[in-house]
Amino acid sequence: METSSFIHPAIGFLALAAVLPFLRGQWWNWLLPAPAVLAVFAVFTMTPGDHLTLHWLGQTLLLGRVDKLSLVFAQVFAVMSVAGMLYAMHVKDRGQHIAAALYVSGGFGCVFAGDYLTLFVFWELMSIGSTFLVLLNRTRESVLAGFRYFLYHTAGGLLLLAGLLLRYKALGTWEFTAMAPSANAPLYEWLILAGFCVNAAVVPLHAWLPDAYPRGTVTGSVFMCAYTTKTAVYVLARGFAGWEILAAAGTVMAVYGVLYACIENNARRILSYHIVSQVGYMVAGIGVGTAMTLNGAVAHAYAHILYKGLLFMGTGCLLYAAGTAKLDKLGGLAARLPWVMVLYMVAALSISGMPVFNGFISKTMTITGAAEAHRTLVALGLEIAAVGTFISVGIKLPYFAFWGGKPTDNDRVLAPIPWNMYAGMSVLAVLCILQGVAPSILYAYLPFEVEHPYVPWSVWHVLQSLLLLGFSGLAFYLLRKVITPHEGLNLDVDIAYRAVGTGALRFVCRPLAFLDDRWTEAYRTGGLRGLMGIALGSVWFDRQAIDGVVDGSARTVRGIGGLGARTQNGSLQDYLGLAAFFALCVFGLVWYLG
Amino acid sequence: MNLDLALLVPECAMLLLVAVLFVQALSAGPASVAAHRWLPLGALAVTAAAVVALPAEGMLLWDAYKVDGLSQFFKLCVAGGFCIAVLNATRQPTLEEGKRADYFLFLGVSAWGLMLLASSAELVTLYLALELSSYSLYVLIPLRGRTREGAEAGVKYILFGAAATAISLYGLSYIMAAHQTTYIAALAARDWSWAASPTAVVGLSLFLCGMFYKLALFPFHFWCPDVYQGSSNETAAYVATLPKLGAVVVLVRLAAVLHPGLEITTAIAWLGVLSMTFGNLCALVQKDVKRMLGFSSVAHAGYVTVGLVSGTAEGLAAAAFYALVYVVMNLLCFWVVARVAVDGRNLVLSDLNGLHRRSPVLAFALGVGAFALVGLPPTAGFMGKLFLITAAWNHGYNWLVIALALNSAIAIYYYLSLVRHAYTEPDENTSLPAPDQSAFSLGGAVALAAATLVLGIVPSPLFEKAVQAGMALFG
Amino acid sequence: MNGLGAFLERQRELRGAWLKALYGVLAALVLLNLFVGPHEPHFGLDAYPGFWALFGLVVGVLMVVIMKRMVQPVIVRREDHYGDV
């Protein structure tokens, strides 16, 4: 029987965040991958079970629920953190690293949380960490975006909080378990679902994602693309597997995301809409709820973290080197940034589902599972999304970023890309290829048991993927002039939130501020003077009346003391006499009266 | 006969110290090492011996000498107090050079007598030990240059002491007549009510007068302020502290006899309340610092009786603990006084003016000592009073506890006047030379102040020991 | 520009050849589809050869045309529409 072992992977990151402000010198950058390596080690050595039970204020909290589902997510989080920290090693701004470390530890905490309280704490920690990853970009655009992001996520967190508190009141437990899908689910389950869906960027709650992620720091967005949404996928998989509404929502998300991605201009915004789309696959898989689709959702999450991270790293390199991520401003860079292009294409082909890369072994599982469960519309929607994915991320983005029909741009000044960024990208690229070629290394960790295992490498699957992708590529080629990106902002559902915000400001905040000003005036003229008057009266009373009594009594006591001290007159006979006299008095009185 | 030397380690160590001092006093010449150089180390060794001997248990010398938790606790306190008093007395401006060894010799004999007193389980042994410790002190009081005050104080101490101990012996004879035994263990089993044996009650009351004289309890306190004022600062430091320990340990042993409700106990309670009140009232008008501390000793003696009359193990432990913290607090105050009065004079309150500027460390230490004597948290004085109050409440003497609280309030005035003079009064021209600011002086002040605060914050280890000792008495 | 960059630069000139290769591969895949089919068709229709090819082409074209030509003109605004750029 092996001893149970559990090191919470968040510990290393929390320690890094605590220690980093105090380190001096140049060498601390090398420390950054350490907690990530520790996390990988922890994940691979931990034993399943319930660890780290805390008793706090009369509640039992479970910080270390390790089972197959949490283990697979923790594994990919750990691997991603290594690549992400490597990628971010060159950044001199400690604040970004601290924010990233807190953020990642929040992700780990959520994955291992066995109860809603712990989940909520780490959920909010993630929210704060990621807000700073946006804010620390330090441009006006990013600061405003970060502010909106934080407001929105706080609102989502409040939905979650309301749900979990109502649930505690109804059920009396904080335990985080699966909730059975039903038409009359109680209100708290819907609230919790809503809170989770905010983080999962379910349409129509998704607008924060394309608003904030393109405006984060170069390295921060890499972290953000992996953790917030995938943690949401994990909690949905844990709590809401089989909920019908998720199947519909997921399909909508998948198609909606690629539709917007086709018309966007900013490379990172395209990728952000793609997150919505890909997470849609996962949410649909969770909604359908069979073992194969759930496994598909988990496998897709795993693969997605790897290739999405690589995609953001690639576009991050473009942003870092060229200073912009806008496709209409880029082009003609393939020859000058060849490795960035190659590594980007690895991820692009992965996300599209090209055989040999890991998207192929994960996406198709979900679609097949949905079809086998006779959810034709879901499968159809996901296939449409696959076409759109390849067109926008697989071809459009790299084409216009690296070629764009322009000759090689030798005049543009490119900042040299540090080695660690290439290293981070290479780690992920290798893993993408490795998983694609040997899918069992991923499948071994999938949590749900299927009747017959999914075999991706069959002739038909390869052929179907190649057909689909090949002809989508042909479509792109034919329409390459139509799809050329132009500068512009595409309106999304965030017009609704902004309207709520401006409306609240105009109809609630300003009138209240006006009333508050009037009240303060009244306070100052009327209330304050009255208060001072009372104070003066009290002082007079204290000085004349109370002090008089107290001082008088003190003087009296001292006077009595003076009288008593007269007995000490220095003459020994008097002393002996008085001693005998008083002793006899006391003893006598006690003996005869006592 | 049962003379097991292993049980007598602290006494033997002390006796060895005294013997060396004796030889040195007789043969003092220019080649010998001055007593005040090696004595602190010797005293430290005796304290270490007392620590080692803490768990010793046994009866010696035909059951007249009892070694138990209580006696070892007190021996440790005496050894520690002796060590600090010796350190204090190593710088004594009013003592002639040639008399140093004698001075320390008698100091040592007195401390040795107190150790014997702690273990006395039989009244005659107790009396002998008492006399031994008192006589050595009688010699020390006049050793203050060639001043008249010293001589006057010495005479008062001797004569008052002689009278008190004579009455004590008289009372002892009554006890022997009434109960035919002088062993405390046997006496505890006898009936002590007025109705059953008035002779014994009178005898015990008279016997206790000797103890009360040592403790400076009203009305046997009249020597106290005069003797403190007359003797040198360093001698007063010893006289003010260690003999009280001896008196308290005897009273604690005898408290096994004093059940609440008995006339004896009520008498002691009345003496206690009169003592506290009288002492505090008289101290209010004093200007001389040592005289004020003398009257405060009278008040504190009253506080100690609160624990004695409660009749429970916690009460006795509280009394023992209070005696110990009283010794520490007083040694602190006297240390500061001795260091401020570098020429050995008697300090008056106005001599303390501006001390916070002349020596901030000493002023702070004095402040800590003053607050501790008042009984403010987080000092040891507060803890001591807290233990006394909680132990004595609801055991039939609630009026005494209330009196303790009221008296603490009255006492605030004169203790804080020490602080007031040190911190707020303007420093007009005084003929007093600058206080001693050496590492020795400041280090000692800080150490004692730290001890006061530590005992106030973490009293449990010592208090638990005292409670165990107390329970052994009852059990 | 390093070796890979130079290689890519050269391939731009061979653009035509690459395009021909692409067409060839696509044709071969369609041909293969005549012989290899799914054992469990998802929609029923996809058992037919060439279905997925048509699906990819049609869906792709429709998506791009509808979004870029019809939807975007309606929803596009200036970059600075909300005032936070």
Side-chain angles (χ1 to χ4, degrees):
Chain A
M1 173 70 173
E2 57 194 47
T3 54
S4 108
S5 101
F6 179 74
I7 309 168
H8 202 299
I11 287 179
F13 288 100
L14 288 171
L16 181 71
V19 151
L20 208 50
F22 306 107
L23 297 178
R24 299 262 163 275
Q26 308 295 323
W27 57 273
W28 56 264
N29 294 78
W30 291 92
L31 197 58
L32 291 170
V37 171
L38 175 68
V40 170
F41 173 75
V43 164
F44 278 100
T45 56
M46 59 175 64
T47 54
D50 287 345
H51 307 273
L52 278 190
T53 314
L54 278 184
H55 295 278
W56 180 68
L57 293 187
Q59 315 296 336
T60 310
L61 303 176
L62 181 57
L63 267 80
R65 170 175 47 193
V66 179
D67 58 9
K68 294 203 87 169
L69 184 59
S70 56
L71 205 51
V72 64
F73 274 93
Q75 195 188 95
V76 67
F77 280 2
V79 168
M80 180 65 206
S81 69
V82 173
M85 281 300 188
L86 253 184
Y87 186 77
M89 251 171 70
H90 64 282
V91 173
K92 293 269 180 288
D93 180 4
R94 284 174 216 240
Q96 290 185 32
H97 296 296
I98 295 172
L102 288 176
Y103 179 58
V104 172
S105 50
F108 279 116
C110 285
V111 163
F112 285 120
D115 64 281
Y116 275 108
L117 278 181
T118 318
L119 178 70
F120 184 72
V121 167
F122 283 107
W123 196 261
E124 292 301 308
L125 186 63
M126 271 178 46
S127 171
I128 293 170
S130 49
T131 308
F132 275 98
L133 287 175
V134 176
L135 289 176
L136 287 172
N137 208 12
R138 296 192 173 104
T139 63
R140 180 168 177 274
E141 198 183 338
S142 301
V143 168
L144 290 173
F147 185 62
R148 290 192 295 273
Y149 176 91
F150 189 61
L151 278 177
Y152 200 74
H153 274 267
T154 307
L158 284 175
L159 285 172
L160 175 59
L161 185 65
L164 68 94
L165 287 175
L166 284 175
R167 181 171 180 275
Y168 181 72
K169 190 157 171 279
L171 298 180
T173 171
W174 298 109
E175 225 190 310
F176 182 21
T177 51
M179 281 171 271
S182 91
N184 327 335
L187 174 66
Y188 55 79
E189 290 188 0
W190 289 110
L191 285 173
I192 296 177
L193 182 64
F196 288 165
C197 285
V198 166
N199 270 37
V202 172
V203 172
L205 302 169
H206 69 285
W208 57 269
L209 213 160
D211 185 31
Y213 280 21
R215 291 163 176 149
T217 57
V218 166
T219 56
S221 294
V222 169
F223 282 107
M224 287 203 283
C225 76
Y227 291 91
T228 305
T229 40
K230 301 314 159 305
T231 310
V233 167
Y234 163 77
V235 293
L236 284 173
R238 173 78 67 184
F240 291 92
W243 281 58
E244 193 45 46
I245 188 169
L246 290 177
T251 319
V252 170
M253 277 164 78
V255 177
Y256 189 96
V258 297
L259 290 180
Y260 264 87
C262 286
I263 55 175
E264 283 293 338
N265 179 32
N266 183 319
R268 299 210 294 175
R269 213 171 150 97
I270 293 178
L271 293 177
S272 305
Y273 273 111
H274 260 284
I275 296 181
V276 174
S277 170
Q278 298 297 303
V279 175
Y281 276 81
M282 302 173 216
V283 169
I286 293 172
V288 170
T290 63
M292 185 179 285
T293 55
L294 283 170
N295 268 357
V298 172
H300 195 176
Y302 200 117
H304 177 95
I305 290 181
L306 297 179
Y307 55 64
K308 199 49 129 228
L310 186 50
L311 286 172
F312 266 92
M313 284 185 185
T315 45
C317 283
L318 275 177
L319 182 58
Y320 183 88
T324 176
K326 298 215 174 114
L327 291 178
D328 63 334
K329 306 267 187 314
L330 293 170
L333 292 173
R336 295 196 64 192
L337 298 173
W339 284 108
V340 176
M341 189 273 289
V342 167
L343 290 165
Y344 179 87
M345 285 313 294
V346 169
L349 295 175
S350 303
I351 195 175
S352 316
M354 181 75 79
V356 169
F357 301 101
N358 61 353
F360 171 61
I361 60 145
S362 56
K363 259 185 156 167
T364 43
M365 193 193 289
T366 314
I367 301 176
T368 312
E372 283 185 6
H374 306 293
R375 310 298 301 270
T376 319
L377 275 177
V378 173
L380 191 62
L382 296 184
E383 292 284 12
I384 294 176
V387 171
T389 304
F390 186 53
I391 289 183
S392 49
V393 171
I395 316 184
K396 168 180 159 183
L397 204 160
Y399 178 72
F400 287 106
F402 294 106
W403 291 280
K406 304 173 190 165
T408 302
D409 189 343
N410 283 314
D411 302 322
R412 187 195 284 266
V413 175
L414 292 179
I417 297 176
W419 69 271
N420 58 292
M421 291 171 97
Y422 282 116
M425 292 200 284
S426 312
V427 167
L428 292 180
V430 165
L431 284 173
C432 282
I433 298 175
L434 215 58
Q435 279 191 341
V437 168
S440 54
I441 60 172
L442 172 57
Y443 289 176
Y445 293 102
L446 292 179
F448 299 96
E449 292 293 321
V450 276
E451 308 88 41
H452 51 272
Y454 177 74
V455 179
W457 282 100
S458 71
V459 181
W460 168 243
H461 277 131
V462 173
L463 182 60
Q464 187 241 351
S465 300
L466 288 176
L467 275 172
L468 191 67
L469 296 178
F471 280 86
S472 313
L474 184 63
F476 175 86
Y477 179 70
L478 295 173
L479 296 173
R480 64 192 179 283
K481 295 281 186 288
V482 176
I483 202 175
T484 313
H486 303 287
E487 175 130 346
L489 176 77
N490 300 315
L491 295 179
D492 200 343
V493 293
D494 58 345
I495 36 175
Y497 323 146
R498 288 173 189 256
V500 168
T502 357
L505 205 61
R506 190 175 307 157
F507 297 113
V508 178
C509 303
R510 296 239 164 82
L512 281 180
F514 175 77
L515 284 175
D516 188 59
D517 279 342
R518 296 282 144 272
W519 182 252
T520 313
E521 262 318 300
Y523 230 34
R524 203 153 49 86
T525 47
L528 202 60
R529 273 204 208 113
L531 189 66
M532 291 306 286
I534 295 174
L536 280 168
S538 312
V539 166
W540 178 89
F541 181 71
D542 181 53
R543 219 171 270 150
Q544 306 303 329
I546 297 180
D547 278 354
V549 169
V550 170
D551 288 350
S553 58
R555 280 198 201 97
T556 316
V557 170
R558 198 163 64 164
I560 298 175
L563 282 177
R566 298 244 181 99
T567 55
Q568 196 86 13
N569 59 10
S571 128
L572 188 57
Q573 312 86 294
D574 290 348
Y575 288 169
L576 289 170
L578 283 170
F581 174 69
F582 281 122
L584 282 173
C585 279
V586 173
F587 284 138
L589 285 169
V590 170
W591 291 334
Y592 286 109
L593 299 177
Chain B
M1 170 165 109
N2 193 11
L3 183 70
D4 186 1
L5 279 179
L7 295 173
L8 291 176
V9 168
E11 293 90 329
C12 290
M14 198 69 184
L15 191 58
L16 187 63
L17 204 68
V18 164
V20 174
L21 280 168
F22 183 61
V23 168
Q24 187 157 39
L26 287 180
S27 65
S32 66
V33 179
H36 64 269
R37 295 225 182 278
W38 65 267
L39 190 57
L41 289 170
L44 209 59
V46 172
T47 317
V51 169
V52 165
L54 267 177
E57 288 243 359
M59 299 287 277
L60 296 161
L61 300 173
W62 295 284
D63 290 351
Y65 198 80
K66 182 172 185 190
V67 174
D68 61 359
L70 184 71
S71 73
Q72 299 308 86
F73 178 75
F74 271 97
K75 280 176 199 163
L76 176 60
C77 298
V78 166
F82 176 68
C83 189
I84 300 172
V86 157
L87 275 171
N88 197 14
T90 50
R91 297 202 186 177
Q92 216 180 134
T94 53
L95 183 63
E96 288 169 29
E97 199 51 51
K99 300 215 175 76
R100 265 189 211 280
D102 306 79
Y103 181 88
F104 287 116
L105 168 65
F106 286 115
L107 215 57
V109 172
S110 177
W112 188 61
L114 288 172
M115 284 191 179
L116 297 181
L117 188 61
S119 263
S120 303
E122 188 264 324
L123 293 181
V124 178
T125 321
L126 200 146
Y127 183 81
L128 285 174
L130 186 68
E131 288 295 84
L132 189 59
S133 66
S134 304
Y135 270 82
S136 348
L137 282 184
Y138 296 159
V139 176
L140 290 182
I141 306 291
L143 278 180
R144 190 187 191 180
R146 286 170 188 280
T147 56
R148 244 189 50 214
E149 289 97 29
E152 183 185 328
V155 166
K156 281 191 191 147
Y157 198 29
I158 294 173
L159 289 181
F160 202 99
T165 49
I167 295 175
S168 192
L169 202 54
Y170 189 48
L172 179 63
S173 69
Y174 270 42
I175 296 177
M176 282 175 88
H179 288 309
Q180 286 90 50
T181 174
T182 54
Y183 282 87
I184 297 181
L187 287 174
R190 302 273 199 268
D191 191 350
W192 288 94
S193 62
W194 179 252
S197 77
T199 322
V201 172
V202 169
L204 186 61
S205 310
L206 292 177
F207 184 77
L208 287 177
C209 293
M211 296 302 122
F212 295 153
Y213 143 73
K214 206 90 179 122
L215 188 59
L217 193 70
F218 181 94
F220 309 100
H221 69 284
F222 289 101
W223 59 273
C224 192
D226 292 359
V227 167
Y228 285 18
Q229 188 180 13
S231 60
S232 72
N233 295 333
E234 295 76 11
T235 315
Y238 182 89
V239 172
T241 52
L242 263 61
K244 310 272 187 290
L245 274 179
V248 168
V249 71
V250 169
L251 287 170
V252 166
R253 279 211 193 281
L254 290 176
V257 167
L258 303 165
H259 309 296
L262 286 181
E263 291 82 0
I264 288 280
T265 323
T266 316
I268 295 180
W270 273 106
L271 289 180
V273 75
L274 286 169
S275 192
M276 327 174 180
T277 318
F278 190 77
N280 279 325
L281 287 177
C282 292
L284 288 174
V285 295
Q286 301 304 322
K287 296 271 180 304
D288 182 307
V289 174
K290 279 194 294 177
R291 211 171 158 79
M292 178 200 290
L293 287 173
F295 277 113
S296 100
S297 298
V298 176
H300 282 278
Y303 299 151
V304 171
T305 61
V306 173
L308 292 173
V309 301
S310 71
T312 61
E314 285 82 23
L316 296 183
F321 184 78
Y322 196 79
L324 170 65
V325 302
Y326 168 76
V327 164
V328 174
M329 301 188 288
N330 252 32
L331 278 174
L332 172 60
C333 287
F334 274 101
W335 182 281
V336 174
V337 164
R339 299 288 91 79
V340 172
V342 283
D343 55 355
R345 67 164 74 179
N346 278 2
L347 285 184
V348 287
L349 280 177
S350 51
D351 283 338
L352 289 175
N353 286 358
L355 188 61
H356 74 283
R357 250 180 302 103
R358 286 185 281 142
S359 172
V361 176
L362 287 179
F364 178 72
L366 184 65
V368 170
F371 286 131
L373 285 166
V374 171
L376 292 176
T379 61
F382 170 73
M383 272 299 154
K385 288 208 172 103
L386 185 68
F387 289 143
L388 282 173
I389 291 175
T390 48
W393 189 253
N394 272 342
H395 286 284
Y397 291 103
N398 288 355
W399 52 271
L400 187 58
V401 175
I402 296 172
L404 193 158
L406 286 174
N407 272 291
S408 301
I410 298 176
I412 293 177
Y413 174 79
Y414 62 87
Y415 285 125
L416 289 193
S417 70
L418 286 171
V419 178
R420 182 165 59 91
H421 280 275
Y423 277 92
T424 64
E425 294 288 324
D427 187 7
E428 285 123 20
N429 163 50
T430 54
S431 55
L432 188 68
D436 184 354
Q437 293 257 55
S438 65
F440 167 78
S441 150
L442 299 183
V446 167
L448 284 169
T452 313
L453 289 170
V454 165
L455 277 175
I457 297 169
V458 196
S460 335
L462 272 176
F463 189 64
E464 292 304 313
K465 271 236 156 357
V467 171
Q468 276 169 2
M471 298 227 248
L473 274 188
F474 278 101
Chain C
M1 139 175 10
N2 57 18
L4 181 58
F7 172 77
L8 290 172
E9 190 68 13
R10 260 178 284 123
Q11 300 316 309
R12 294 191 84 142
E13 282 133 40
L14 303 173
R15 188 177 308 150
W18 279 104
L19 212 52
K20 285 207 186 63
L22 175 67
Y23 290 140
V25 167
L26 289 179
L29 286 175
V30 174
L31 206 60
L32 214 54
N33 192 211
L34 288 168
F35 303 109
V36 181
H39 33 250
E40 283 167 36
H42 293 171
F43 315 110
L45 284 176
D46 59 329
Y48 291 110
F51 172 81
W52 286 112
L54 214 57
F55 185 86
L57 191 59
V58 170
V59 167
V61 167
L62 278 178
M63 192 184 289
V64 173
V65 166
I66 293 177
M67 286 311 292
K68 238 3 224 194
R69 283 282 143 83
M70 296 182 201
V71 176
Q72 193 180 32
V74 173
I75 63 173
V76 77
R77 299 283 181 281
R78 291 175 9 248
E79 277 275 338
D80 198 21
H81 173 75
Y82 290 121
D84 48 34
V85 174

